[in-house]
Amino acid sequence: MADDPAVKEQVKQILLNHKGEDNPISSREINEEIGVDDIGSFPSTRAIIRELVMDDYLPVAASTKGYFVIQDEDELEDYIDQLENRVMNITERKFAVQRAVLEWDEEIVDEDSDLL
């Protein structure tokens, strides 16, 4: 059902009714309308939204309150800043885990993957 073009179009229309960061809609609310997920994290719903951004060039941003279509340059700038911060946090965590493994007293099996 998540691969259904009609469902994708329905999600697109839902998102187009939620323009601006002051008018978000959660993945739960979207799923209540389209009914593709029975899992609480709504992976199929989120995958459709991602596809709309990646393939259909719909300028959708996400916040802790939900998804919305970006309306102006300030919203775009805020969202880009948020994404860049997430990238930096993930990068810091990656290096911290690698450092922790090197300092770890117990043996970690290295199967020649060049990570250690």
Side-chain angles (χ1 to χ4, degrees):
M1 186 191 246
D3 293 334
D4 183 348
V7 172
K8 182 177 172 184
E9 183 61 29
Q10 187 179 3
V11 173
K12 182 177 182 178
Q13 292 309 311
I14 291 167
L15 288 168
L16 288 171
N17 287 325
H18 290 273
K19 293 182 178 176
E21 64 185 332
D22 294 332
N23 189 24
I25 184 168
S26 70
S27 53
R28 175 182 302 280
E29 292 169 307
I30 295 170
N31 187 62
E32 286 173 1
E33 292 192 43
I34 63 171
V36 297
D37 279 305
D38 56 6
I39 299 171
S41 61
F42 312 105
S44 296
T45 302
R46 290 183 291 109
I48 294 168
I49 295 165
R50 185 181 193 287
E51 189 175 315
L52 286 167
V53 173
M54 302 298 283
D55 298 341
D56 294 20
Y57 309 115
L58 189 65
V60 175
S63 71
T64 56
K65 297 176 184 175
Y67 296 96
F68 61 91
V69 175
I70 295 169
Q71 276 194 294
D72 58 43
E73 199 167 323
D74 286 341
E75 289 178 352
L76 174 61
E77 184 177 359
D78 289 347
Y79 190 54
I80 295 294
D81 288 346
Q82 177 188 339
L83 291 173
E84 287 177 351
N85 285 336
R86 288 174 58 192
V87 167
M88 289 304 297
N89 288 335
I90 290 168
T91 301
E92 288 174 3
R93 185 171 178 152
K94 171 188 153 189
F95 288 120
V97 167
Q98 288 174 319
R99 184 179 58 242
V101 165
L102 292 173
E103 300 295 325
W104 188 244
D105 289 336
E106 297 180 28
E107 184 177 347
I108 305 259
V109 177
D110 180 9
E111 296 179 1
D112 238 10
S113 66
D114 293 331
L115 291 176
L116 297 176

